[in-house]
Amino acid sequence: MNSTISFETSEFGLVPKKGNRRLCSVRNPIKEAKTWVGRQVIHSDTKLIVVLGLAGGYHIDELCLRYPKTEIVVIEAEFQIASKIKLKNKPIRVYTSIENILRSDLVERFYDLNNVQIIEHNISVSENSKFYNKAIASLTARTPAAFKSLMKNRFNEDLSDVDLGSALMSVGANESYIVERGLKNIAIKKNEKMKTIFHLISEVVK
Amino acid sequence: MNYLLVSLMRLGDILLLHPVIKNLKQRGAKVDLLINKEFAFVESYLTEVDNFHYLDRSAIQENMQSIDTHILRSFDMVQELVRNIDESNYTNICNLTHNKLSSLLLECFDTNECVTVGASSLGANNFNSPWLTYLDDRAEMPTSSSFHLIDIFAKSIGLDDYNTEISTVESENFVCAQINTAEEKKTFSNEQWRSIFSMYSLMANNTEVKVLCAPNELVSTDLIVEPLRKRGVNISVVACSLLEARDLISRSKLFLTVDTSIKYLAIGTNTPVVEVSLGSSNFRWTGAYGPRNLVLQPLTICGPCSHSLACTQKSFICQEEIPSEVVAASMHHMEIRDFNSVLHLAEEYESIHFAKTEVREDGIWTSIRLGRNYIQESLADLIEQSAWNIVLNSDLDDEWQAFDEECLGLRELFRKNIDILGLDVKACLEKLESYLLGGEIEAQEFSNKISRSKIVQQDSNEILGSIDSWVSGLPEDLQVESYAGRFQSLLNKNKGEEANHMAKEILFQMNNLFRVKRKLSESVRVDYMEGL
């Protein structure tokens, strides 16, 4: 990410800054983290929590304490933050680029697991909203690359960029995201039923 | 037998299946229903249905439009629905919805082991039922339909003789009214409703009027009736569920309704129904189902209009065409089903179609236009319906027996309605036959013209073969002429393939219908009128 990341040291540990803006409290980041976790509505059956924004990591540590049995992964836009901040409670996977997300099995797992939640660390997200939007779109397979990867790995469907591109263009979508009406234009070759259901969904949202 | 009925339109389309479901259950079938999730509340009303499946359109839309939700979540939902249906091992899947969505869904089901009727997008023109082909033909011109949707659906899934049980609940001294509709053009203005109820109150010694509505319509409905209550009219608003509405309708001495789903709750009750058919309402397809009801439809240049289009007139002329006193007087007469008095009204107000509904011996709903000037028109409609009933029952082993049954059915209809048809039936039938003979000759001449054509000759065997089988066709005999013109025009432009296709279409419609109608009329007139 194109940024000026620096760190301050508080009595509790490191506090990252982007430009002049601190990404978490310097006076009491733990209290702030507890409050943040308390505000999140995590369902009892949630199996995977994806946190957008690592910041100082205090909120992740608190989340791990509060939900010890739930798997947690973090997406952080700033590589410098991810490499500097050390989490205390358990090893947590931190993704710092869309490419890494796509290379991992996260997109597939996000689809396979029914009970997945995305929660946002607001200051981090507001500083890099474009990146995080793309991260969400990748997790939900709404970018052509993520969709293509999922279709290949999960449904054995080889989609060409041309197929996907024309599907998007033909419905006037921007080049980043698949829009709902574009589904029917995607050339599914092997799974006829899937193709028909895509068509049906396009009909419903039309 | 294990049936799945698919109805993915609106509430009314679901409720009108009730008699079909009941008849299937009487035959020992298991009946499941696939409907839109937003109408899940009908579960408590359609108690005969064994299982409900739902297509959750709202959730599909919300999932697709929320970037936080996986793009395949809606796919999973539909896939699960399809899996559940495939695992239910239906012997018959009947798509009774005429839209693209339902045909796509039908295409997803594994139907190798079951009988399916209704459109799938794989074979858009193959409905596996001549009745649904007939329905499809008339989708563009529903006013030409000879059959009610309920009958088309019942026939399409193989119900031949069926009946609608009539309850024997004693009527009480109140009437029910359903005045709310989803479309503004299908109901009267508030002022006109007040005028109708006010006049009715005077005619009927202040008999109580209960205006039915859904709980969320209570406030707006109450605004309509409040001024009447202040003037001493015995009127109230009742917010109720479907079951409660049906109970009230069955106990009332009359049910006044506009074209809305609630009118189907009167099916099977003994309550007389007066339906006001306004705007896009097409009573021939969806009118008050049951015997001896009354439908009032204004005869305007634009009606019935399209569901999807706004009114094209400066004001709702169809509403203005029906004076309040006509509705009020019709209500008053219909409390005791006094059709002779209604007949006088019909003759006074010629710009309104007064349709008396009837149910034939075999269960088919029909209607007769009241008024001495319309006997010819009514007889032609009845003969047309009978002819189509013969033609569409394509698996008839014995056509002559079918003829005999139709003739007996027509005789019974004439007998029951001789008061309103008058004594000129024989003369009218003779006139109809000469008209039909003219149509036959015209069709024959055109057939000859096609046969002489070089282009069509190439496929003449196929085309001539198709004449022998029944096929769908245009209902208006004279439209043969317009088809002939289009055919000639294509020939002139050397569009051989299209001309050939057109020729087939024409030959399709020049099926036995003219002849069947004429023979029916002749048989009824000569052999079945004795004693009438």
Side-chain angles (χ1 to χ4, degrees):
Chain A
M1 283 290 119
N2 195 7
S3 56
T4 51
I5 299 295
S6 59
F7 296 90
E8 282 182 32
T9 307
S10 75
E11 62 176 295
F12 300 94
L14 290 177
V15 172
K17 287 170 72 180
K18 181 166 183 183
N20 292 324
R21 191 180 187 192
R22 290 188 190 102
L23 298 181
C24 61
S25 166
V26 72
R27 274 187 282 179
N28 197 341
I30 293 175
K31 185 182 174 193
E32 182 189 60
K34 284 182 192 294
T35 308
W36 179 87
V37 172
R39 277 205 308 266
Q40 307 305 318
V41 181
I42 305 295
H43 308 301
S44 59
D45 58 350
T46 294
K47 289 177 182 157
L48 171 66
I49 300 172
V50 179
V51 185
L52 304 181
L54 178 61
Y58 304 100
H59 61 299
I60 305 295
D61 286 333
E62 187 60 30
L63 201 62
C64 291
L65 284 175
R66 193 79 65 90
Y67 302 99
K69 290 180 181 167
T70 309
E71 185 185 359
I72 296 167
V73 297
V74 177
I75 297 175
E76 169 53 55
E78 305 292 350
F79 179 77
Q80 282 173 275
I81 295 176
S83 57
K84 195 98 174 176
I85 297 297
K86 304 295 174 208
L87 296 167
K88 295 187 181 73
N89 288 327
K90 63 177 181 182
I92 296 287
R93 184 82 191 264
V94 181
Y95 298 87
T96 56
S97 72
I98 302 298
E99 291 71 27
N100 283 349
I101 293 171
L102 293 178
R103 268 198 293 272
S104 74
D105 63 352
L106 190 57
V107 174
E108 271 181 81
R109 295 188 60 230
F110 197 85
Y111 173 59
D112 289 336
L113 293 171
N114 277 325
N115 309 310
V116 187
Q117 275 187 262
I118 300 175
I119 55 175
E120 298 181 359
H121 183 257
N122 297 351
I123 301 173
S124 302
V125 170
S126 67
E127 287 297 322
N128 280 300
S129 58
K130 200 172 170 188
F131 170 83
Y132 287 111
N133 280 340
K134 191 157 187 184
I136 294 173
S138 298
L139 291 174
T140 57
R142 286 168 187 265
T143 65
F147 188 77
K148 189 176 163 183
S149 160
L150 181 68
M151 293 302 283
K152 170 72 181 161
N153 297 331
R154 192 70 179 71
F155 298 98
N156 198 24
E157 280 285 349
D158 276 312
L159 301 179
S160 72
D161 292 336
V162 176
D163 281 342
L164 278 174
S166 67
L168 298 175
M169 293 300 286
S170 66
V171 292
N174 67 43
E175 60 182 1
S176 302
Y177 303 120
I178 293 173
V179 294
E180 53 272 17
R181 276 178 290 177
L183 278 185
K184 73 173 177 187
N185 297 328
I186 294 170
I188 304 292
K189 297 173 189 80
K190 293 176 184 161
N191 191 334
E192 277 296 321
K193 200 171 264 193
M194 179 179 237
K195 188 176 177 179
T196 310
I197 293 176
F198 278 5
H199 199 154
L200 182 148
I201 290 168
S202 294
E203 191 66 22
V204 170
V205 298
K206 153 173 111 171
Chain B
M1 302 291 268
N2 189 3
Y3 279 84
L4 175 69
L5 308 184
V6 180
S7 182
L8 295 174
M9 299 284 277
R10 290 160 294 197
L11 179 61
D13 300 283
I14 300 168
L15 294 180
L16 66 73
L17 290 179
H18 202 183
V20 177
I21 293 165
K22 279 183 174 175
N23 272 278
L24 281 173
K25 293 297 291 182
Q26 280 167 10
R27 286 160 165 77
K30 180 175 176 288
V31 183
D32 291 0
L33 199 54
L34 167 59
I35 58 176
N36 287 319
K37 181 80 182 283
E38 64 182 298
F39 301 120
F41 61 87
V42 300
E43 270 200 38
S44 60
Y45 182 74
L46 297 176
T47 51
E48 297 84 357
V49 173
D50 292 287
N51 289 301
F52 283 84
H53 298 280
Y54 297 112
L55 179 69
D56 194 342
R57 295 170 71 145
S58 300
I60 290 173
Q61 282 171 337
E62 280 165 22
N63 285 342
M64 291 306 295
Q65 282 154 8
S66 159
I67 196 167
D68 291 353
T69 308
H70 202 282
I71 198 165
L72 293 184
R73 204 54 72 211
S74 294
F75 166 77
D76 292 342
M77 282 173 58
V78 179
Q79 194 178 39
E80 191 181 344
L81 170 67
V82 170
R83 193 180 300 124
N84 286 340
I85 285 171
D86 284 345
E87 286 171 359
S88 298
N89 298 320
Y90 292 109
T91 55
N92 298 69
I93 296 182
C94 309
N95 178 11
L96 305 178
T97 318
H98 202 73
N99 67 11
K100 191 172 179 183
L101 181 66
S102 68
S103 62
L104 284 165
L105 197 52
L106 202 70
E107 200 178 309
C108 296
F109 300 150
D110 180 6
T111 53
N112 291 334
E113 302 289 322
C114 74
V115 177
T116 58
V117 296
S120 80
S121 57
L122 284 175
N125 294 317
N126 181 13
F127 299 94
N128 286 337
S129 160
W131 287 90
L132 292 181
T133 307
Y134 176 89
L135 177 65
D136 186 57
D137 284 344
R138 271 137 192 85
E140 297 299 320
M141 40 185 174
T143 50
S144 66
S145 178
S146 289
F147 298 98
H148 198 286
L149 278 181
I150 293 175
D151 295 326
I152 293 177
F153 290 154
K155 291 282 189 179
S156 71
I157 63 178
L159 291 171
D160 288 328
D161 288 326
Y162 48 93
N163 61 73
T164 306
E165 276 179 28
I166 304 291
S167 75
T168 51
V169 176
E170 287 282 315
S171 69
E172 298 173 27
N173 194 30
F174 65 87
V175 302
C176 286
Q178 170 67 32
I179 64 176
N180 296 311
T181 63
E183 290 176 64
E184 189 189 3
K185 61 188 179 183
K186 282 164 74 170
T187 187
F188 290 120
S189 66
N190 294 353
E191 203 44 57
Q192 201 166 348
W193 279 120
R194 288 184 197 115
S195 170
I196 288 166
F197 292 132
S198 203
M199 286 184 190
Y200 172 73
S201 173
L202 288 173
M203 290 175 193
N205 293 325
N206 214 9
T207 296
E208 186 190 3
V209 178
K210 291 180 190 290
V211 179
L212 309 181
C213 69
N216 64 347
E217 296 168 334
L218 181 59
V219 174
S220 58
T221 312
D222 208 45
L223 277 176
I224 300 171
V225 305
E226 178 62 20
L228 291 173
R229 268 201 301 266
K230 283 182 180 164
R231 295 208 300 260
V233 175
N234 190 0
I235 190 166
S236 59
V237 178
V238 185
C240 50
S241 67
L242 293 177
L243 276 172
E244 289 162 342
R246 185 186 158 87
D247 175 57
L248 283 170
I249 292 167
S250 68
R251 290 191 285 119
S252 64
K253 60 200 277 194
L254 178 97
F255 178 43
L256 171 69
T257 183
V258 285
D259 179 36
T260 183
S261 53
I262 302 305
K263 70 181 178 185
Y264 299 118
L265 304 185
I267 298 173
T269 68
N270 197 27
T271 307
V273 179
V274 174
E275 178 183 350
V276 187
S277 176
L278 300 170
S280 56
S281 165
N282 170 31
F283 79 87
R284 287 176 193 274
W285 252 1
T286 59
Y289 194 83
R292 296 185 298 135
N293 293 325
L294 178 68
V295 182
L296 305 177
Q297 184 171 60
L299 298 166
T300 56
I301 47 163
C302 49
C305 52
S306 165
H307 272 294
S308 52
L309 299 178
C311 180
T312 55
Q313 308 297 325
K314 284 180 185 163
S315 59
F316 294 122
I317 58 172
C318 51
Q319 297 169 13
E320 293 156 7
E321 202 62 55
I322 301 190
S324 304
E325 62 266 26
V326 171
V327 181
S330 297
M331 289 170 70
H332 183 53
H333 298 321
M334 283 296 290
E335 283 177 10
I336 52 165
R337 288 188 160 115
D338 176 5
F339 280 100
N340 281 324
S341 298
V342 179
L343 184 62
H344 293 308
L345 269 180
E347 292 185 342
E348 189 179 343
Y349 293 90
E350 289 205 323
S351 60
I352 302 169
H353 183 131
F354 287 72
K356 178 191 179 191
T357 72
E358 276 293 1
V359 173
R360 300 168 10 144
E361 296 284 297
D362 58 358
I364 291 178
W365 180 91
T366 194
S367 72
I368 298 170
R369 183 170 179 186
L370 299 178
R372 269 185 266 281
N373 293 337
Y374 314 114
I375 296 169
Q376 181 80 46
E377 178 185 325
S378 291
L379 289 174
D381 283 349
L382 294 173
I383 296 282
E384 167 119 0
Q385 187 182 47
S386 281
W388 274 111
N389 196 33
I390 292 173
V391 170
L392 292 172
N393 283 320
S394 55
D395 56 349
L396 289 175
D397 295 329
D398 185 348
E399 196 171 285
W400 283 113
Q401 190 190 337
F403 248 86
D404 186 49
E405 284 172 7
E406 284 301 327
C407 289
L408 284 170
L410 284 168
R411 182 190 196 283
E412 183 60 15
L413 264 182
F414 294 166
R415 188 192 62 75
K416 280 201 283 190
N417 292 285
I418 201 72
D419 286 354
I420 57 171
L421 286 171
L423 300 172
D424 298 336
V425 173
K426 271 191 174 185
C428 287
L429 288 176
E430 263 180 314
K431 201 171 163 192
L432 177 66
E433 285 155 34
S434 70
Y435 166 75
L436 290 169
L437 186 62
E440 263 183 72
I441 292 167
E442 189 181 352
Q444 189 56 50
E445 279 174 2
F446 185 54
S447 181
N448 294 340
K449 204 190 290 183
I450 293 168
S451 303
R452 284 196 297 272
S453 155
K454 222 176 181 179
I455 296 162
V456 179
Q457 198 61 52
Q458 293 167 0
D459 293 302
S460 61
N461 288 342
E462 189 190 340
I463 293 167
L464 291 171
S466 67
I467 296 175
D468 293 329
S469 59
W470 84 268
V471 273
S472 60
L474 290 175
E476 301 296 335
D477 308 333
L478 291 176
Q479 289 194 27
V480 169
E481 203 175 322
S482 78
Y483 261 62
R486 282 163 59 195
F487 173 68
Q488 193 58 54
S489 157
L490 288 168
L491 280 184
N492 293 344
K493 290 177 188 167
N494 277 332
K495 292 190 174 176
E497 202 174 322
E498 281 181 59
N500 197 25
H501 179 73
M502 179 63 72
K504 285 179 196 169
E505 253 185 283
I506 298 160
L507 287 167
F508 278 174
Q509 67 154 315
M510 291 191 324
N511 54 37
N512 288 327
L513 196 63
F514 286 120
R515 205 147 26 97
V516 170
K517 280 158 69 172
R518 190 167 59 81
K519 292 268 183 205
L520 263 176
S521 176
E522 200 176 81
S523 301
V524 173
R525 180 173 57 81
V526 174
D527 298 327
Y528 292 83
M529 295 292 281
E530 201 177 321
L532 284 184

